[in-house]
Amino acid sequence: MAKVSDIVLWDKPGERVLLLGNQAIARGALEANIAVYAAYPGTPSSELTDTMAVVSKKAGVYMEYSTNEKVAFETALAAAWSGLRAMTAMKHVGLNVAADTFLSAVGMGVEGGFVIMVADDPSMWSSQNEQDTRIYAKFANVPVLEPSDPQEAKEMTKYAFELSEKFKHFVILRTTTRTSHARGDVVLGELPEEIKQGKRKFGKFKKDPNRFVDVPANARKFHPVILEKIEKIREELNNCPFNWIEGDENAKVGIIAPGLSYAYVKEALAWLGVDDVKILKLGTPFPVPYGLLEKFFQGLEMVLIVEELEPVVEEQVKTWAYDRGFTIPIHGKDLVPRVYEMTTRRAVTAIAKFLGLETPINFEELDAKYEKVKPLLPPRPPSLCPACPHRNSFYAIKKATRARAIYPSDIGCYTLGLLPPLQTVDTTVAMGASIGIAHGLSIAQNGSLSEEQRNPEKQVIVATIGDSTFYHTGLPALANAIYNRSNVLIVVLDNLVTAMTGDQPNPSTGQTPHGMGKRIPIEDVAKAMGADFVAVVDPYDIKTTYETIKKALEVEGVSVVVSRQVCALYKVGQMRRRGMKWPIYQVNEEKCTGCRVCINAYGCPAIYWDEEKRQARVEPTMCWGCGGCAQVCPFGAFEPVKEGSQ
Amino acid sequence: MREYNIVITGVGGQGVLTAANVLGWAALRAGYKVRIGEVHGMSQRFGSVISYVRFGEDVYGSMVPEGKADVMLSFEPVEALRYINYLKEGGVVVVNTKPIVPVQVSMGMAKYPSLEEIRKVFEEDFKAKWIGFNAEELAEQAGHVVTTNTVLIGALTQIPEFPLDAEHVREVIKLSVPPKAVEMNMKAFDLGIKAAKEILGL
Ligand code: SF4
Ligand code: SF4
């Protein structure tokens, strides 16, 4: 088992390897001779970016972790304007951030192939909503390619660049969690010479103000051009190698299976033992190629569309069928749920109903049996890691505000501060929104310092935001709060990496995949913007953190406390790799009074309750040695044990 | 073989993904088509996790449907129970019996069921074969708790009709751990095999 980064660069055409969907896409981009890659990480897209980070230097590809999706989009777009093959990637909500540029620039088209990889997260395993990128694609009139397995993910990436170049149009490569985070066998293809030699490719931008300046006079010309392009692409997609008709040619029933749903449909049919159906496997849910539909509909008496989330294909098919005069029943969202992700069970259930069959497993019976298990299960939501510096920050914030403040928070590991016992997260909306919401709450409840009438009953508001999020979209919100003079405390939880998505660097880290970038200290930014109070603390020192927050709360205006300590998971990973050890804390049975403060107020997951002795205990395999418990325990019961270490 | 389905459950950070990967590579090297479904992002942080490993001639999606897993490999007893609905009737569960108590339980907001209770549900209500033992203890014997997943994988290879050869799986583990940890992992693998054999009466 070689390292994945090596496999992605292997010059071994024909070799069969196991790759994550996202890694397969990275390989596809290399096989397509990509020149520029820029992205902001976001689950489930991150591993694509991380893989590009590791291989880019050897492959001669420029790669960057951008500060947000919009600037990433612009970086890659400009490269594509310069004739290079370029790619950006993001999670579905990231496209909202990039949407301004995306929708305005689409009419300008591109010169080099431009592929926008967007990873949707049906069922919201790691996201704040469940939007369907195919709707964006339709909105923008940009074609979407959707792979059904890792092999196809790689091949489609290559095809996406070609399609984009051919029509000088944007192309979206859409995955879902189950493609991005599925590992499967992939056959490696040829790498272009330039990639093998690691040759950096440079482009040339040809000025054309009529095209690249989006003044209304130009923009007016774009819209018809876009519509013309998308219809041409619809034609082209009749011959797309990822669209085909299979199964029984003479069947009376047909199933349309876009993207990953194809895998579920195939599995469901095999499970049901049904083979007298015709399948339209659709790699391009938008635009649906009409020529292929025409062929598919021949001889059919009823059709089912098995698609995940929104009825994007269903609406296109139904409209087309109506216009064409087809009157056969077309089923879709009446049998397939519109929320949460597709599963084989869902596909089996829908197809069984469609065909009037029994499901192979009596799922209701299984569910009933499982219902009896549920009461036995204690909840186990994700939690802040042992030794996570955020726990200390939240603990200090809660103590300093006596739990009486409003706590707007943001997107990152620290959102987990929502859970007991910390419970210091009251709102989480979108990247960077904590500062904007905090400002709005302060204005609504107390008024701005620049107003004459203010509410004397002061509501304390403490916003939390991570370092990466701060640079992502926190900056304009901070400028706004300072400028408009609300009264808020912003605690920047600076753990020096983008931890939730896998430790990517950001301006607070300073490091880039190419070596040293330039570090931008958050406190300098806050000071330069004119915050009324700025301080930096180490959250591992709980007392000082608490005192600093108290002080900051007394200041009128916008205070910024940077709570800086490297992410514990990141640190432990580094230490493990270097064979370093750390102390383990344990409870001194003589001293523990069973007051439960460490559990009920602090909540490190390594600490548990010993029912028999009625005392706290530390699970040695989970302790990462931060010493937070020792600072929190009123009786000094936690002590480092020098011998234990991982 | 048309398809073989494994679900791996546990607590984020226990090495569920690593185990899935080892089994996936072993299946790939045995010539099968392979699909692994993983969890990433926030859900990994000490929360409940499930991964899927599927291989055979006829595999499509990366998730094992409910009621269709041939075996479950679980790193933690409650996390085995949480996903019991994935196991097929007559399926096998290989489970590390060392509990990890969630914070909610320590806070007194929830109860942790007893091992007997969990085992009973598997054996009586779901007609499953239970191969439970403290894998962490054996891992410590082998040299370090980090080898817990190697112990469990070793045990897994011993269940009746398991389609991957134990020696092939061993090879993949050898290639996937750092050179200085090979010996310790081989020992852990053997301890797992031994534990399963004892339980199965082989
Ligand atoms: S990954 Fe880092 S930031 Fe996230 S919870 Fe763990 S220690 Fe905290
Ligand atoms: S030292 Fe205490 S607070 Fe820190 S990880 Fe260990 S048990 Fe948890």
Side-chain angles (χ1 to χ4, degrees), chain A residues 267-285:
Chain A
E267 183 170 353
L269 290 172
W271 204 6
L272 285 162
V274 171
D275 50 18
D276 52 348
V277 292
K278 200 163 27 164
I279 302 173
L280 173 58
K281 188 273 184 195
L282 210 51
T284 61

Side-chain angles (χ1 to χ4, degrees), chain A residues 181-196:
Chain A
H181 291 167
R183 225 172 266 272
D185 36 315
V186 173
V187 180
L188 301 180
E190 294 272 356
L191 288 175
E193 272 312 308
E194 282 170 302
I195 294 280
K196 277 197 261 185

Side-chain angles (χ1 to χ4, degrees), chain A residues 417-428:
Chain A
L418 149 92
L419 298 167
L422 296 165
Q423 291 168 302
T424 29
V425 171
D426 290 322
T427 73
T428 304

Side-chain angles (χ1 to χ4, degrees), chain B residues 5-9 50-53 64 69 71-74 83 86-87:
Chain B
N5 292 313
I6 307 172
V7 292
I8 310 179
T9 72
I50 178 168
S51 277
Y52 314 89
V53 182
V64 175
V71 296
M72 174 189 283
L73 181 67
S74 187
Y83 300 104
Y86 283 90
L87 210 54

Side-chain angles (χ1 to χ4, degrees), chain A residues 1 7 16-18 20 43 47 125-126 149-150 178 181-185 263-264 266-267 270-271 341-345 361 363 366-367 369-370 373 376-383 385-386 412-413 415-416 420-421 499-500 569 596 599-600 603 605 607-609 619 621-622 624 645-646, chain B residues 2-3 11 21 24-25 28-29 31-38 40-43 45-48 52 54 60-63 65-68 76 78-79 81-85 89 98 100-113 117 121 125-126 136 144-146 172 175-176:
Chain A
M1 260 169 79
I7 296 174
R16 213 164 62 97
V17 296
L18 199 56
L20 199 63
T43 317
E47 299 77 15
W125 300 105
S126 211
D149 65 17
R178 301 298 170 183
H181 291 167
R183 225 172 266 272
D185 36 315
Y264 297 113
K266 290 284 279 185
E267 183 170 353
W271 204 6
E341 68 182 351
M342 180 64 65
T343 60
T344 303
R345 173 178 171 171
I361 286 185
F363 290 115
L366 182 65
D367 289 346
K369 220 156 71 166
Y370 186 62
V373 174
L376 289 176
L377 297 170
R380 193 189 307 269
S383 73
C385 299
C413 294
T415 313
L416 295 169
M500 192 168 94
L569 186 63
R596 286 194 190 234
I599 290 168
N600 289 356
I607 307 172
Y608 64 95
W609 182 246
E619 166 59 51
T621 59
M622 284 168 74
W624 292 351
S645 295
Q646 293 243 347
Chain B
R2 272 193 59 193
E3 66 173 84
V11 176
N21 233 319
W25 272 99
L28 185 83
R29 287 162 59 121
Y32 292 117
K33 207 170 143 185
V34 182
R35 290 287 178 275
I36 300 176
E38 310 187 343
H40 292 218
M42 183 127 86
S43 30
R45 304 281 187 274
F46 293 85
S48 153
Y52 314 89
R54 326 185 66 186
Y60 298 99
S62 62
M63 285 180 295
E66 287 127 276
K68 234 189 167 189
E76 206 276 346
V78 149
E79 296 316 317
L81 190 60
R82 196 183 305 278
Y83 300 104
I84 194 170
N85 53 332
E89 223 180 271
K98 164 83 191 297
I100 295 179
V101 182
V103 177
Q104 286 74 9
V105 171
S106 292
M107 289 181 74
M109 295 161 62
K111 228 187 112 243
Y112 194 99
E117 255 177 302
V121 179
D125 302 347
F126 281 76
E136 203 174 291
H144 200 283
V145 284
V146 294
V172 174
L175 292 171
S176 60

Side-chain angles (χ1 to χ4, degrees), chain A residues 386-387 391 584-585 602 604-607 618 622-630 638:
Chain A
R391 176 174 295 102
I584 284 173
Y585 279 67
Y602 187 63
C604 168
I607 307 172
V618 174
M622 284 168 74
C623 173
W624 292 351
C626 68
C629 49
F638 289 89

Side-chain angles (χ1 to χ4, degrees), chain A residues 132-387:
Chain A
D132 189 329
T133 291
R134 300 175 306 161
I135 292 185
Y136 252 120
K138 209 171 148 219
F139 184 23
N141 284 296
V142 166
V144 193
L145 301 172
E146 194 188 342
S148 63
D149 65 17
Q151 173 74 37
E152 211 177 52
K154 176 175 84 74
E155 300 304 328
M156 259 188 186
T157 308
K158 273 194 278 188
Y159 178 80
F161 279 107
E162 282 154 26
L163 188 69
S164 168
E165 231 155 62
K166 178 161 179 189
F167 290 90
K168 297 197 182 305
H169 200 43
F170 298 3
V171 171
I172 291 180
L173 178 73
R174 181 230 189 194
T175 67
T176 61
T177 313
R178 301 298 170 183
T179 329
S180 274
H181 291 167
R183 225 172 266 272
D185 36 315
V186 173
V187 180
L188 301 180
E190 294 272 356
L191 288 175
E193 272 312 308
E194 282 170 302
I195 294 280
K196 277 197 261 185
Q197 288 164 13
K199 197 160 156 254
R200 171 84 155 83
K201 297 156 280 285
F202 296 97
K204 203 155 194 75
F205 176 71
K206 274 205 227 81
K207 288 192 194 188
D208 182 358
N210 288 328
R211 175 173 173 192
F212 294 118
V213 182
D214 218 347
V215 289
N218 287 334
R220 244 169 251 135
K221 286 181 275 178
F222 292 156
H223 204 175
V225 172
I226 298 171
L227 294 179
E228 207 179 291
K229 269 190 195 173
I230 199 73
E231 288 315 313
K232 278 203 192 124
I233 291 172
R234 197 191 289 278
E235 274 290 307
E236 168 88 9
L237 294 180
N238 283 315
N239 303 314
C240 165
F242 306 103
N243 293 332
W244 66 77
I245 297 170
E246 66 174 51
D248 182 355
E249 240 180 79
N250 304 314
K252 301 261 176 288
V253 294
I255 297 178
I256 301 179
L260 186 55
S261 294
Y262 171 71
Y264 297 113
V265 165
K266 290 284 279 185
E267 183 170 353
L269 290 172
W271 204 6
L272 285 162
V274 171
D275 50 18
D276 52 348
V277 292
K278 200 163 27 164
I279 302 173
L280 173 58
K281 188 273 184 195
L282 210 51
T284 61
F286 180 81
V288 172
Y290 294 150
L292 215 55
L293 273 189
E294 183 76 45
K295 248 193 249 162
F296 177 69
F297 265 66
Q298 293 317 314
L300 291 182
E301 286 169 11
M302 55 180 195
V303 169
L304 170 68
I305 298 150
V306 181
E307 88 189 289
E308 204 173 31
L309 300 184
E310 296 297 312
V312 173
V313 170
E314 185 178 337
E315 282 170 3
Q316 291 175 79
V317 171
K318 281 183 172 167
T319 316
W320 169 85
Y322 184 88
D323 289 347
R324 261 293 278 104
F326 278 105
T327 52
I328 59 169
I330 300 172
H331 295 277
K333 289 297 153 193
D334 53 337
L335 298 177
V336 182
R338 190 166 171 171
V339 294
Y340 310 142
E341 68 182 351
M342 180 64 65
T343 60
T344 303
R345 173 178 171 171
R346 283 181 158 196
V348 158
T349 309
I351 294 171
K353 226 190 222 154
F354 175 64
L355 298 175
L357 303 170
E358 293 268 326
T359 54
I361 286 185
N362 186 332
F363 290 115
E364 281 79 37
E365 232 168 61
L366 182 65
D367 289 346
K369 220 156 71 166
Y370 186 62
E371 274 310 308
K372 284 198 260 163
V373 174
K374 278 190 190 158
L376 289 176
L377 297 170
R380 193 189 307 269
S383 73
L384 295 173
C385 299

